[in-house]
Amino acid sequence: MSGVRASVLAASNRGPVSFRVGDDGSLEARRGGGGLVSGLSAAGGGPDRRWVCAALSDADRHAAREAPDGRLDLAGLDVGDQPVRMLDIDPGTFSRAYNGIANSTLWFVHHLMYDGSTQPVFDAHFRRQWASYLDYNRAFAEALAEEAADGATAVVQDYHLSLAPAMLRALRPDLRIGHFSHTPWAPPDYYRMLPDDVAAAVLEGILGADRAGFLTDRWARAFADCCRAVLGADVSEDGGSLAVTHRGRTTELGVHGLGTDAEFLRERAYRPDVDARRAALLERIGPGRKVIVRVDRTELSKNIVRGLLAYRELLRRHAEWRGRVVHVAFAYPSRHDLPEYREYTAAVQRVAREIEDEFGTADWSPLILHVEDDFPRSLAAYRIADVALVNPIRDGMNLVAKEIPVASENGCALVLSREAGAFAELGGEAVPVNPFDVDMTAEALREALEMPDDERAERSKRLAAAAVALPPQKWFLDQLEALRHE
Amino acid sequence: MSGVRASVLAASNRGPVSFRVGDDGSLEARRGGGGLVSGLSAAGGGPDRRWVCAALSDADRHAAREAPDGRLDLAGLDVGDQPVRMLDIDPGTFSRAYNGIANSTLWFVHHLMYDGSTQPVFDAHFRRQWASYLDYNRAFAEALAEEAADGATAVVQDYHLSLAPAMLRALRPDLRIGHFSHTPWAPPDYYRMLPDDVAAAVLEGILGADRAGFLTDRWARAFADCCRAVLGADVSEDGGSLAVTHRGRTTELGVHGLGTDAEFLRERAYRPDVDARRAALLERIGPGRKVIVRVDRTELSKNIVRGLLAYRELLRRHAEWRGRVVHVAFAYPSRHDLPEYREYTAAVQRVAREIEDEFGTADWSPLILHVEDDFPRSLAAYRIADVALVNPIRDGMNLVAKEIPVASENGCALVLSREAGAFAELGGEAVPVNPFDVDMTAEALREALEMPDDERAERSKRLAAAAVALPPQKWFLDQLEALRHE
């Protein structure tokens, strides 16, 4: 162990920095964004902060191995103001834990995405993945235990690390431990698909924390329901605040609806690279046409295919909109290690071609689809959106629903799935949809397109205000304070 | 309207009789079995009873059209002691209601069988199906309204007819109306996938009854949860008995765990046709080998593939059982109008071949798989079962779990999914499995195979006793009495 022990620690699969090998063979650091990066910065930088994360690529592993005790800052690498310990986890172990358990099992359970008749299958192959998930979580718990000063506060992030809180508590009972779930939570009847020991271990892992955070009251209640149904735990409620008591220990459940960082977004969205892409997009769209925008990872839960089907239904049913609207759909690649995701991208492209074939004319393309990531182009689309389409089948929060109203130039109408966590905060000003109901989504798009300008501007203002109510910095500090003062 | 009006009426998609065209071109009647047939018989036969059902085939439609007012008995056709009115529903309407809504939508929702990312899609095509489901239910409600005497009692069966109770009440407020669900019921987070108006209509349709029956407390509670979450209905509980109040009307929820008819089963299972098949099966199995039996419709929820995977895992892991056990798996065809079901049958056959290839020897076939229906052969398998495997992913009740212990000659150990409704009654004497957990199922099979003979015999006796606690006759009369005296 080198360096100062930390009094505030964060742990997450993805860290604030990643590496690639440059043309000259040297490692180049690339610093990332996101709520947690902003949040932890707000907690103050300096040597007694610590971020523990996993090496995600060969270049990351190389950087981690070169650094003393995996401490990137001690190796003189640029990690900003947040000392980072990057864990060099065996690639096979990492893949089984990350792809096998986190993304193919827990993610599917919480988003209700199994077809039941054929998936999931919990067999010997699954057991090897589960053993790796234990190893992966243990590596984090051990690193946190090493890095933490006496009585320090450690916040552990998300479904990749559901076992780490209990493991860390066993190693370091003096710490204040938090866990935060960025996903939805499954109802007990679905959650109990998991093998009995796995279902219990995930709940008991999180209950190892003093405080377990969720994005909405709905997911916190689902977690509590699972604790009651699977563990027989006791759930109490005090003024709307839930607590779970299991084996004599009580874990408080907190709700912190992560918002968007308006300052960053507005500044970033008006830089020249975005301006250029905005001009190019408007050129392709053509004058006087309304713009429906969606921006998503190509994630099975984001419901891009049904979104396209709804747009097609709109054009079929309401011929007056043909030639007068363009749907800008950005679906950038995600989790392409999993075959379901590659198939889904193909399905998105197939339906897009069908729409172009059915409605496209010499001077009107009904759809602009891009499946490569381009952040400035996404921001350009945000700015020109008349309608934002955010229709996930189930979503922890969905920050795009918050970002578009904040970045839009003339105000946008938001068509929002009631299964998104964001619906709890934005539902009142949005046009709500049942994400499985393509007919309803088509009508919601029409309603959003036909919303009077002044109403749209007013609603968009209120959406933007709600979207920034809990920016990442405050979101993180609130959790930290609650954790320390409980 | 001809004939006497009825004081007790049953309505179900499938009636107690079906037809086929014989070699000479005339209609041949074939009377069916099942719980409802036995049940309604127990309520007494005669002219003031009535069964309303749908014509399921061209021959059925022909019979219905020939009969005065669709009354088969009045046409002199052999319907036993239960006057039957068979509805000649337009084949397109029938298919959209039966395949489209009942079996592809409601069944999938209640069994949690959608993959979410791609299915279901509620679009214009679905709306046509839904309109047909309304027509189909209305045809039943109108027929019941015509046939019912003043103040009569009508019991409406299952998810095909979830709208009929409310429709019937509107036509005939003087009737006592019951509804019975033979399926599981989905939790609210899953049920709300349905389009909003459909989700509400199905619940309000059933709430049109004075009494709604379910096979277990678990499904009744899930129904009540959906009424609360979707309709904002009020749910009350009095001594374990639930009631739902919506728009000023109260519907009592009843739990009636349909059992098996021991008398019929034991008599039928020892006839010569069964004896012959028993001998043939034993010949194929070979002497001294234990027998694991499963008998199912090839229904996505029955989990036949994971059952085979578990058997393969048993043979891989416990080599001592190779050559000493045979798995008799009967999976007879079901719902082959739906492509998912044809694919599932193919998957069953594929895994079966893999097992044969991996383990089969010159003098031992590890598996006997049949995919054609043969009732006497199923009974023969029941008789010789050492272990019964009943592992549905979700099941309203599962009568096979009750039938095998009753019919088995030497007592059988029951490996039973805790997601089957039957688990509520049989779980204490069964070897329980999480049906998604192939590893656990393999170990449960081993445990069942190795259960000492006396323990197995004792448990089997208790299973058989529990299985016949509520035979079909009493099951039906209990409902009728509760409905009349509420």
Side-chain angles (χ1 to χ4, degrees):
Chain A
M1 248 287 309
S2 319
V4 183
R5 288 192 175 209
S7 65
V8 176
L9 303 94
S12 63
N13 177 66
R14 179 180 300 277
V17 63
S18 61
F19 295 90
R20 60 177 205 135
V21 180
D23 296 337
D24 63 352
S26 72
L27 286 174
E28 292 176 2
R30 189 179 159 185
R31 286 202 273 132
L36 199 56
V37 173
S38 314
L40 198 61
S41 309
D48 83 329
R49 300 292 180 258
R50 199 81 77 249
W51 194 318
V52 178
C53 61
L56 305 181
S57 66
D58 287 343
D60 279 4
R61 270 181 214 101
H62 190 71
R65 272 197 292 267
E66 299 282 290
D69 295 319
R71 278 282 295 277
L72 301 177
D73 50 316
L74 299 181
L77 292 163
D78 175 17
V79 293
D81 199 23
Q82 297 162 339
V84 172
R85 174 151 170 196
M86 191 175 262
L87 303 177
D88 174 22
I89 293 168
D90 166 74
T93 301
F94 177 81
S95 173
R96 287 186 293 274
Y98 178 75
N99 289 318
I101 300 299
N103 289 344
S104 293
T105 306
L106 299 179
W107 183 268
F108 273 62
V109 166
H110 288 316
H111 290 84
L112 317 183
M113 291 202 303
Y114 282 124
D115 82 356
S117 63
T118 63
Q119 293 293 334
V121 175
F122 299 117
D123 55 8
H125 177 64
F126 172 84
R127 284 289 156 188
R128 285 191 293 278
Q129 296 177 324
W130 178 246
S132 291
Y133 186 77
L134 286 164
D135 291 342
Y136 168 96
N137 272 265
R138 198 174 295 112
F140 273 83
E142 286 171 355
L144 288 167
E146 277 175 32
E147 299 283 346
D150 290 352
T153 303
V155 286
V156 176
Q157 302 295 313
D158 228 358
Y159 62 107
H160 316 90
L161 292 172
S162 56
L163 307 182
M167 289 172 167
L168 179 56
R169 171 164 307 281
L171 295 169
R172 291 290 304 275
D174 61 304
L175 302 184
R176 296 292 294 168
I177 303 172
H179 184 273
F180 197 88
S181 292
H182 295 261
T183 61
W185 201 273
D189 250 28
Y190 208 87
Y191 185 79
R192 61 193 248 160
M193 274 185 189
L194 290 170
D196 297 12
D197 60 321
V198 171
V202 167
L203 297 173
E204 289 179 337
I206 291 173
L207 292 177
D210 297 291
R211 198 153 189 286
F214 296 88
L215 287 165
T216 70
D217 184 64
R218 184 177 174 194
W219 312 139
R221 283 182 193 277
F223 175 79
D225 288 347
C226 286
C227 290
R228 192 163 21 205
V230 172
L231 303 176
D234 187 55
V235 176
S236 62
E237 187 164 0
D238 183 7
S241 186
L242 294 162
V244 178
T245 302
H246 179 54
R247 300 195 178 170
R249 274 198 70 249
T250 296
T251 301
E252 305 287 330
L253 306 191
V255 174
H256 302 273
L258 179 61
T260 192
D261 186 338
E263 208 173 326
F264 164 77
L265 195 62
R266 291 194 179 120
E267 188 276 324
R268 183 68 190 84
Y270 286 81
R271 288 197 204 157
D273 58 344
V274 178
D275 291 340
R277 284 163 176 83
R278 174 183 181 277
L281 267 177
L282 287 176
E283 172 77 27
R284 277 191 68 185
I285 289 164
R289 288 176 176 140
K290 293 271 190 185
V291 182
I292 300 172
V293 169
R294 78 171 306 139
V295 175
D296 287 296
R297 290 186 296 120
T298 306
E299 158 51 50
L300 300 183
S301 62
K302 298 297 183 186
N303 207 21
I304 302 169
V305 171
R306 287 193 195 82
L308 293 175
L309 295 177
Y311 179 61
R312 180 168 75 183
E313 190 62 24
L314 166 79
L315 296 178
R316 282 183 180 167
R317 216 185 274 189
H318 301 285
E320 70 276 14
W321 277 105
R322 294 178 200 162
R324 291 178 50 218
V325 61
V326 173
H327 183 13
V328 173
F330 294 162
Y332 57 83
S334 177
R335 301 187 185 168
H336 268 224
D337 289 344
L338 304 181
E340 295 94 326
Y341 285 74
R342 294 194 297 272
E343 285 161 26
Y344 194 74
T345 298
V348 167
Q349 292 172 311
R350 193 169 56 244
V351 178
R353 271 195 308 276
E354 288 172 12
I355 292 173
E356 191 61 42
D357 290 349
E358 184 172 348
F359 298 105
T361 62
D363 60 359
W364 173 57
S365 277
L367 186 67
I368 298 175
L369 172 73
H370 285 299
V371 296
E372 317 83 37
D373 191 11
D374 182 336
F375 184 54
R377 191 178 57 200
S378 296
L379 292 177
Y382 284 9
R383 282 173 55 185
I384 62 173
D386 297 297
V387 174
L389 173 56
V390 180
N391 66 328
I393 59 170
R394 200 170 166 92
D395 207 329
M397 171 55 69
N398 197 301
L399 283 176
V400 174
K402 296 185 168 182
E403 289 165 356
I404 301 187
V406 169
S408 83
E409 293 172 10
N410 300 313
C412 75
L414 174 64
V415 173
L416 181 60
S417 166
R418 63 180 185 207
E419 305 301 324
F423 195 80
E425 298 155 69
L426 308 182
E429 299 297 335
V431 185
V433 289
N434 169 343
F436 303 97
D437 192 338
V438 164
D439 255 29
M440 183 194 200
T441 307
E443 287 306 313
L445 287 174
R446 191 194 50 79
E447 184 183 335
L449 285 169
E450 294 176 1
M451 192 181 283
D453 287 353
D454 51 347
E455 181 184 346
R456 195 180 66 203
E458 273 309 306
R459 285 202 188 199
S460 188
K461 247 183 239 166
R462 289 194 292 264
L463 286 167
V468 303
L470 193 62
Q473 299 80 358
K474 185 162 162 42
W475 169 81
F476 189 81
L477 292 178
D478 281 3
Q479 287 178 66
L480 218 53
E481 185 159 353
L483 190 50
R484 283 169 171 164
H485 293 99
E486 234 157 39
Chain B
M1 249 287 305
S2 319
V4 182
R5 288 191 175 210
S7 65
V8 176
L9 303 94
S12 63
N13 177 66
R14 180 179 302 276
V17 64
S18 61
F19 295 89
R20 60 177 203 135
V21 180
D23 297 335
D24 62 351
S26 70
L27 286 174
E28 290 176 4
R30 190 178 159 184
R31 286 203 272 133
L36 198 56
V37 174
S38 314
L40 198 61
S41 309
D48 83 329
R49 302 290 179 257
R50 198 81 78 253
W51 193 318
V52 178
C53 62
L56 305 180
S57 66
D58 286 343
D60 279 5
R61 270 182 216 102
H62 190 71
R65 271 197 293 267
E66 301 281 291
D69 295 319
R71 278 281 298 278
L72 301 176
D73 50 316
L74 299 182
L77 292 163
D78 174 18
V79 293
D81 199 23
Q82 297 161 342
V84 172
R85 173 150 171 195
M86 190 176 264
L87 303 177
D88 174 21
I89 294 169
D90 165 75
T93 301
F94 178 82
S95 173
R96 286 186 293 273
Y98 179 75
N99 289 317
I101 300 299
N103 288 345
S104 293
T105 306
L106 299 179
W107 183 268
F108 273 64
V109 166
H110 288 316
H111 290 84
L112 317 183
M113 291 203 302
Y114 282 124
D115 82 356
S117 64
T118 63
Q119 292 292 334
V121 174
F122 299 117
D123 55 8
H125 176 64
F126 171 83
R127 285 290 156 187
R128 284 191 294 277
Q129 296 177 325
W130 178 246
S132 291
Y133 186 75
L134 285 164
D135 290 342
Y136 168 96
N137 271 265
R138 197 174 296 114
F140 274 82
E142 287 172 355
L144 288 166
E146 278 175 30
E147 299 283 346
D150 290 351
T153 303
V155 286
V156 176
Q157 302 294 314
D158 228 358
Y159 62 108
H160 316 90
L161 292 172
S162 55
L163 307 182
M167 289 172 168
L168 179 56
R169 172 164 305 283
L171 295 169
R172 290 290 305 272
D174 61 302
L175 302 184
R176 296 293 293 169
I177 304 172
H179 184 273
F180 197 89
S181 292
H182 294 261
T183 62
W185 200 272
D189 251 27
Y190 208 85
Y191 184 79
R192 60 193 248 158
M193 276 188 188
L194 290 170
D196 297 13
D197 60 321
V198 171
V202 167
L203 297 173
E204 290 180 336
I206 292 174
L207 291 178
D210 298 291
R211 200 152 188 286
F214 296 88
L215 286 165
T216 71
D217 184 64
R218 184 177 174 194
W219 313 139
R221 282 181 194 278
F223 175 80
D225 288 347
C226 286
C227 290
R228 192 161 23 206
V230 172
L231 303 176
D234 187 55
V235 176
S236 61
E237 187 164 1
D238 183 8
S241 185
L242 294 162
V244 177
T245 302
H246 180 53
R247 302 197 176 169
R249 275 197 71 250
T250 297
T251 300
E252 306 287 330
L253 306 192
V255 174
H256 302 273
L258 178 63
T260 192
D261 186 339
E263 207 173 324
F264 163 77
L265 196 61
R266 290 193 180 120
E267 187 276 324
R268 183 68 191 83
Y270 286 81
R271 289 197 205 158
D273 57 345
V274 178
D275 290 340
R277 286 162 174 83
R278 174 183 181 279
L281 268 176
L282 287 176
E283 173 76 27
R284 278 191 66 183
I285 290 164
R289 289 177 175 141
K290 293 271 190 186
V291 182
I292 301 172
V293 169
R294 79 171 303 139
V295 176
D296 286 296
R297 289 186 295 122
T298 306
E299 158 53 48
L300 301 182
S301 63
K302 298 297 183 187
N303 207 20
I304 301 169
V305 171
R306 288 193 195 82
L308 293 175
L309 295 176
Y311 180 61
R312 179 168 76 182
E313 190 62 25
L314 166 80
L315 296 178
R316 282 182 180 169
R317 215 185 275 187
H318 301 285
E320 71 275 16
W321 278 104
R322 293 178 200 163
R324 291 178 50 219
V325 61
V326 172
H327 183 14
V328 173
F330 294 161
Y332 57 85
S334 177
R335 300 186 188 170
H336 268 224
D337 289 344
L338 304 180
E340 294 93 327
Y341 285 74
R342 294 195 296 272
E343 285 160 26
Y344 194 75
T345 298
V348 166
Q349 291 171 313
R350 194 168 56 244
V351 178
R353 272 195 307 276
E354 288 171 14
I355 292 173
E356 190 62 43
D357 290 350
E358 184 171 348
F359 298 104
T361 63
D363 60 359
W364 173 58
S365 278
L367 186 66
I368 298 175
L369 172 71
H370 284 297
V371 296
E372 317 82 38
D373 190 12
D374 182 337
F375 183 56
R377 190 177 59 200
S378 296
L379 293 176
Y382 284 8
R383 283 174 53 184
I384 61 174
D386 297 296
V387 174
L389 173 56
V390 180
N391 66 329
I393 58 170
R394 198 169 168 92
D395 208 328
M397 171 56 69
N398 197 301
L399 282 177
V400 174
K402 295 186 168 181
E403 290 165 356
I404 300 186
V406 169
S408 83
E409 292 173 10
N410 300 313
C412 75
L414 174 64
V415 173
L416 181 59
S417 166
R418 63 179 186 207
E419 305 302 325
F423 194 80
E425 298 154 69
L426 308 182
E429 299 298 334
V431 185
V433 290
N434 169 343
F436 302 97
D437 193 338
V438 164
D439 255 29
M440 183 194 200
T441 307
E443 286 308 313
L445 287 174
R446 191 194 49 79
E447 185 184 332
L449 284 169
E450 294 175 2
M451 192 180 283
D453 287 352
D454 51 349
E455 181 184 346
R456 195 181 65 204
E458 273 310 306
R459 285 201 189 201
S460 189
K461 246 182 240 166
R462 288 193 292 264
L463 285 168
V468 302
L470 192 62
Q473 300 79 357
K474 184 162 162 42
W475 169 80
F476 190 81
L477 292 178
D478 281 3
Q479 288 179 64
L480 218 53
E481 184 158 354
L483 190 51
R484 283 170 171 163
H485 294 98
E486 236 158 36

